[in-house]
Amino acid sequence: MQRTFSIIKPDAFRKGYAGAILAEIEKAGFQIIAIKKLSISKTQAEGFYYVHKERPFFASLTTFMSSGPIIAMVLEKDDAIADLRKLMGATNPANAEEGTIRKKYAGSIEENAIHGSDGEDTAQFEIGYFFAGYELA
Ligand code: CMP
């Protein structure tokens, strides 16, 4: 079993897609270990996405991520990291495969509905950024 971290982003939450996305995640066999709705500040978004701090889209991305409620969650299944990324589809919804969450629910490369950790180290950092150990017991 492996754990990954995911966020339903402000665009998807605003459009009322949170329930549909959660249903897709459960249907794909993920167990929801922890989940919470919250809003983050721009500074908190900058801390989460610090690996992208030199990228040209960093300011816009962190403004977007702090623009409204999100749903943060820890998900578990065999190959959770790779399987969630498959279920999400490509970062740019224009390149995402049919049937993927981003193909169905994302509007643009930035406002792309969902985040999922891209590796084991990242998953560990991201889970720890949003959840305390007692919330994962
Ligand atoms: P995510 O998987 O959360 O990881 C980094 C985020 O940056 C990505 O999803 C998009 O929301 C955003 N992003 C990545 N590339 C670009 C880009 N070229 N322009 C704008 N936003 C981007």
Side-chain angles (χ1 to χ4, degrees):
M1 283 296 192
Q2 186 181 53
R3 287 182 178 185
T4 190
F5 175 77
S6 184
I7 294 176
I8 297 177
K9 296 188 180 185
D11 59 319
F13 190 90
R14 246 190 307 269
K15 292 173 187 163
Y17 294 153
I21 292 172
L22 282 170
E24 301 240 5
I25 288 169
E26 284 194 313
K27 203 167 60 185
F30 291 87
Q31 194 189 340
I32 299 171
I33 300 295
I35 186 164
K36 57 187 165 193
K37 175 193 165 203
L38 74 165
S39 296
I40 57 173
S41 68
K42 184 165 171 74
T43 304
Q44 288 169 329
E46 287 168 354
F48 180 72
Y49 279 120
Y50 78 98
V51 290
H52 297 303
K53 64 181 187 302
E54 307 300 341
R55 309 289 281 275
F57 55 81
F58 184 67
S60 164
L61 171 64
T62 52
T63 296
F64 160 57
M65 289 300 291
S66 55
S67 68
I70 59 171
I71 293 181
M73 56 200 150
V74 178
L75 304 171
E76 186 174 271
K77 78 183 287 293
D78 288 338
D79 284 327
I81 294 171
D83 285 359
L84 181 64
R85 290 181 72 81
K86 245 180 273 163
L87 182 65
M88 293 190 318
T91 304
N92 186 345
N95 302 327
E97 277 183 40
E98 285 302 328
T100 61
I101 289 174
R102 283 171 171 159
K103 188 70 177 185
K104 290 186 198 170
Y105 304 110
S108 72
I109 192 168
E110 179 170 273
E111 301 203 0
N112 63 357
I114 186 167
H115 167 84
S117 307
D118 64 4
E120 286 196 12
D121 291 352
T122 323
Q124 210 177 329
F125 165 76
E126 293 179 348
I127 289 170
Y129 197 80
F130 279 94
F131 291 95
Y134 76 90
E135 295 175 285
L136 305 170

mmCIF file of all heavy atoms in Angstrom, residues 58-77:
data_model
loop_
_atom_site.group_PDB
_atom_site.id
_atom_site.type_symbol
_atom_site.label_atom_id
_atom_site.label_comp_id
_atom_site.label_asym_id
_atom_site.label_seq_id
_atom_site.Cartn_x
_atom_site.Cartn_y
_atom_site.Cartn_z
ATOM 1 N N PHE A 58 4.695 31.092 -11.139
ATOM 2 C CA PHE A 58 4.624 30.924 -9.679
ATOM 3 C C PHE A 58 3.676 31.932 -9.012
ATOM 4 O O PHE A 58 2.839 31.547 -8.184
ATOM 5 C CB PHE A 58 6.035 31.037 -9.082
ATOM 6 C CG PHE A 58 6.099 30.786 -7.604
ATOM 7 C CD1 PHE A 58 5.844 29.522 -7.075
ATOM 8 C CD2 PHE A 58 6.431 31.812 -6.728
ATOM 9 C CE1 PHE A 58 5.914 29.287 -5.711
ATOM 10 C CE2 PHE A 58 6.511 31.584 -5.360
ATOM 11 C CZ PHE A 58 6.256 30.321 -4.846
ATOM 12 N N ALA A 59 3.776 33.209 -9.373
ATOM 13 C CA ALA A 59 2.949 34.238 -8.724
ATOM 14 C C ALA A 59 1.474 33.997 -9.027
ATOM 15 O O ALA A 59 0.616 34.040 -8.125
ATOM 16 C CB ALA A 59 3.364 35.619 -9.208
ATOM 17 N N SER A 60 1.193 33.717 -10.289
ATOM 18 C CA SER A 60 -0.188 33.499 -10.683
ATOM 19 C C SER A 60 -0.751 32.208 -10.053
ATOM 20 O O SER A 60 -1.885 32.185 -9.550
ATOM 21 C CB SER A 60 -0.207 33.454 -12.213
ATOM 22 O OG SER A 60 -1.366 32.902 -12.686
ATOM 23 N N LEU A 61 0.070 31.154 -10.029
ATOM 24 C CA LEU A 61 -0.361 29.877 -9.439
ATOM 25 C C LEU A 61 -0.694 30.043 -7.960
ATOM 26 O O LEU A 61 -1.726 29.541 -7.484
ATOM 27 C CB LEU A 61 0.761 28.832 -9.613
ATOM 28 C CG LEU A 61 0.571 27.504 -8.881
ATOM 29 C CD1 LEU A 61 -0.643 26.734 -9.394
ATOM 30 C CD2 LEU A 61 1.841 26.632 -9.011
ATOM 31 N N THR A 62 0.136 30.759 -7.225
ATOM 32 C CA THR A 62 -0.088 30.879 -5.783
ATOM 33 C C THR A 62 -1.258 31.825 -5.479
ATOM 34 O O THR A 62 -1.957 31.634 -4.486
ATOM 35 C CB THR A 62 1.205 31.309 -5.066
ATOM 36 O OG1 THR A 62 1.742 32.475 -5.695
ATOM 37 C CG2 THR A 62 2.244 30.189 -5.103
ATOM 38 N N THR A 63 -1.489 32.807 -6.359
ATOM 39 C CA THR A 63 -2.697 33.650 -6.217
ATOM 40 C C THR A 63 -3.938 32.802 -6.450
ATOM 41 O O THR A 63 -4.911 32.851 -5.684
ATOM 42 C CB THR A 63 -2.650 34.826 -7.224
ATOM 43 O OG1 THR A 63 -1.531 35.648 -6.888
ATOM 44 C CG2 THR A 63 -3.920 35.648 -7.178
ATOM 45 N N PHE A 64 -3.886 31.996 -7.500
ATOM 46 C CA PHE A 64 -5.023 31.101 -7.808
ATOM 47 C C PHE A 64 -5.288 30.125 -6.655
ATOM 48 O O PHE A 64 -6.434 29.958 -6.213
ATOM 49 C CB PHE A 64 -4.724 30.344 -9.109
ATOM 50 C CG PHE A 64 -5.532 29.095 -9.299
ATOM 51 C CD1 PHE A 64 -6.924 29.126 -9.303
ATOM 52 C CD2 PHE A 64 -4.901 27.860 -9.482
ATOM 53 C CE1 PHE A 64 -7.674 27.957 -9.467
ATOM 54 C CE2 PHE A 64 -5.642 26.694 -9.648
ATOM 55 C CZ PHE A 64 -7.034 26.742 -9.632
ATOM 56 N N MET A 65 -4.238 29.495 -6.142
ATOM 57 C CA MET A 65 -4.424 28.461 -5.108
ATOM 58 C C MET A 65 -4.942 29.046 -3.792
ATOM 59 O O MET A 65 -5.478 28.316 -2.954
ATOM 60 C CB MET A 65 -3.128 27.681 -4.889
ATOM 61 C CG MET A 65 -2.778 26.754 -6.040
ATOM 62 S SD MET A 65 -4.036 25.478 -6.388
ATOM 63 C CE MET A 65 -3.896 24.440 -4.927
ATOM 64 N N SER A 66 -4.764 30.371 -3.622
ATOM 65 C CA SER A 66 -5.263 31.010 -2.400
ATOM 66 C C SER A 66 -6.555 31.797 -2.678
ATOM 67 O O SER A 66 -6.979 32.602 -1.862
ATOM 68 C CB SER A 66 -4.182 31.926 -1.813
ATOM 69 O OG SER A 66 -3.731 32.863 -2.774
ATOM 70 N N SER A 67 -7.201 31.523 -3.813
ATOM 71 C CA SER A 67 -8.369 32.315 -4.219
ATOM 72 C C SER A 67 -9.701 31.780 -3.701
ATOM 73 O O SER A 67 -10.737 32.404 -3.916
ATOM 74 C CB SER A 67 -8.430 32.390 -5.754
ATOM 75 O OG SER A 67 -8.728 31.114 -6.307
ATOM 76 N N GLY A 68 -9.686 30.636 -3.027
ATOM 77 C CA GLY A 68 -10.941 30.069 -2.533
ATOM 78 C C GLY A 68 -10.711 28.729 -1.889
ATOM 79 O O GLY A 68 -9.573 28.233 -1.854
ATOM 80 N N PRO A 69 -11.785 28.125 -1.378
ATOM 81 C CA PRO A 69 -11.635 26.853 -0.673
ATOM 82 C C PRO A 69 -11.044 25.743 -1.549
ATOM 83 O O PRO A 69 -11.259 25.718 -2.769
ATOM 84 C CB PRO A 69 -13.074 26.485 -0.275
ATOM 85 C CG PRO A 69 -13.838 27.757 -0.333
ATOM 86 C CD PRO A 69 -13.186 28.607 -1.370
ATOM 87 N N ILE A 70 -10.313 24.869 -0.893
ATOM 88 C CA ILE A 70 -9.766 23.667 -1.537
ATOM 89 C C ILE A 70 -10.123 22.465 -0.660
ATOM 90 O O ILE A 70 -10.525 22.632 0.493
ATOM 91 C CB ILE A 70 -8.222 23.739 -1.681
ATOM 92 C CG1 ILE A 70 -7.547 23.899 -0.308
ATOM 93 C CG2 ILE A 70 -7.806 24.873 -2.606
ATOM 94 C CD1 ILE A 70 -6.027 23.773 -0.338
ATOM 95 N N ILE A 71 -9.948 21.275 -1.220
ATOM 96 C CA ILE A 71 -10.074 20.056 -0.414
ATOM 97 C C ILE A 71 -8.735 19.339 -0.474
ATOM 98 O O ILE A 71 -8.267 18.983 -1.567
ATOM 99 C CB ILE A 71 -11.225 19.167 -0.914
ATOM 100 C CG1 ILE A 71 -12.554 19.890 -0.665
ATOM 101 C CG2 ILE A 71 -11.211 17.816 -0.195
ATOM 102 C CD1 ILE A 71 -13.781 19.135 -1.068
ATOM 103 N N ALA A 72 -8.124 19.189 0.693
ATOM 104 C CA ALA A 72 -6.830 18.498 0.795
ATOM 105 C C ALA A 72 -7.092 17.091 1.309
ATOM 106 O O ALA A 72 -7.931 16.889 2.198
ATOM 107 C CB ALA A 72 -5.926 19.238 1.765
ATOM 108 N N MET A 73 -6.393 16.113 0.736
ATOM 109 C CA MET A 73 -6.650 14.736 1.181
ATOM 110 C C MET A 73 -5.431 13.828 1.034
ATOM 111 O O MET A 73 -4.553 14.081 0.199
ATOM 112 C CB MET A 73 -7.851 14.131 0.454
ATOM 113 C CG MET A 73 -7.754 14.151 -1.038
ATOM 114 S SD MET A 73 -9.385 13.963 -1.776
ATOM 115 C CE MET A 73 -9.130 14.894 -3.269
ATOM 116 N N VAL A 74 -5.444 12.802 1.856
ATOM 117 C CA VAL A 74 -4.436 11.753 1.787
ATOM 118 C C VAL A 74 -5.150 10.495 1.315
ATOM 119 O O VAL A 74 -6.189 10.107 1.873
ATOM 120 C CB VAL A 74 -3.780 11.521 3.167
ATOM 121 C CG1 VAL A 74 -2.765 10.388 3.092
ATOM 122 C CG2 VAL A 74 -3.122 12.804 3.652
ATOM 123 N N LEU A 75 -4.611 9.895 0.256
ATOM 124 C CA LEU A 75 -5.259 8.750 -0.400
ATOM 125 C C LEU A 75 -4.341 7.543 -0.355
ATOM 126 O O LEU A 75 -3.117 7.695 -0.472
ATOM 127 C CB LEU A 75 -5.562 9.107 -1.857
ATOM 128 C CG LEU A 75 -6.409 10.359 -2.071
ATOM 129 C CD1 LEU A 75 -6.460 10.722 -3.555
ATOM 130 C CD2 LEU A 75 -7.815 10.158 -1.518
ATOM 131 N N GLU A 76 -4.930 6.360 -0.246
ATOM 132 C CA GLU A 76 -4.117 5.140 -0.147
ATOM 133 C C GLU A 76 -4.627 4.057 -1.085
ATOM 134 O O GLU A 76 -5.826 3.853 -1.207
ATOM 135 C CB GLU A 76 -4.149 4.625 1.295
ATOM 136 C CG GLU A 76 -3.229 3.446 1.548
ATOM 137 C CD GLU A 76 -3.194 3.062 3.014
ATOM 138 O OE1 GLU A 76 -2.362 3.602 3.759
ATOM 139 O OE2 GLU A 76 -4.035 2.226 3.418
ATOM 140 N N LYS A 77 -3.700 3.398 -1.761
ATOM 141 C CA LYS A 77 -3.964 2.169 -2.529
ATOM 142 C C LYS A 77 -2.621 1.644 -3.015
ATOM 143 O O LYS A 77 -1.596 2.313 -2.842
ATOM 144 C CB LYS A 77 -4.933 2.404 -3.708
ATOM 145 C CG LYS A 77 -4.308 3.060 -4.929
ATOM 146 C CD LYS A 77 -5.327 3.342 -6.033
ATOM 147 C CE LYS A 77 -5.822 2.121 -6.790
ATOM 148 N NZ LYS A 77 -4.792 1.458 -7.616
#
